[in-house]
Amino acid sequence: MQINQAIEIIFTILLILFLIIMVISIMTFISILESLNDFPISFSVRLFFIAGMSGIYLYLLKVMVSKFQDWHRYL
């Protein structure tokens, strides 16, 4: 097996893991939103919490995609 094929297999596995992480985080996000309805908090605090969670999630996605782009140039 050549090094290019091994790197391509590893890259494919990482992309599949990335997609699994995205699905799990979206499901977690939805369940947290549903559990926020049980607490007597104002809409502005709820909106602030959702915006903060979304910002952290998008930042982590950006970091992961930039790592994938760095690894992809070695193929």
Side-chain angles (χ1 to χ4, degrees):
M1 180 183 294
Q2 295 178 356
I3 188 73
N4 289 341
Q5 291 175 340
I7 291 174
E8 186 175 352
I9 290 171
I10 292 170
F11 185 69
T12 304
I13 291 171
L14 287 175
L15 282 177
I16 291 170
L17 288 174
F18 176 70
L19 290 175
I20 290 170
I21 289 171
M22 281 182 53
V23 169
I24 290 172
S25 60
I26 289 171
M27 290 172 61
T28 304
F29 183 70
I30 291 172
S31 66
I32 288 174
L33 286 179
E34 289 296 320
S35 66
L36 278 177
N37 291 331
D38 298 337
F39 298 109
I41 56 175
S42 66
F43 182 74
S44 60
V45 173
R46 191 178 299 167
L47 189 64
F48 177 74
F49 181 75
I50 292 169
M53 253 178 64
S54 301
I56 291 171
Y57 177 69
L58 290 176
Y59 174 74
L60 290 175
L61 283 179
K62 180 182 144 292
V63 169
M64 291 171 101
V65 168
S66 69
K67 287 292 180 190
F68 286 146
Q69 287 174 349
D70 289 344
W71 291 335
H72 186 68
R73 70 178 164 176
Y74 293 118
L75 292 179

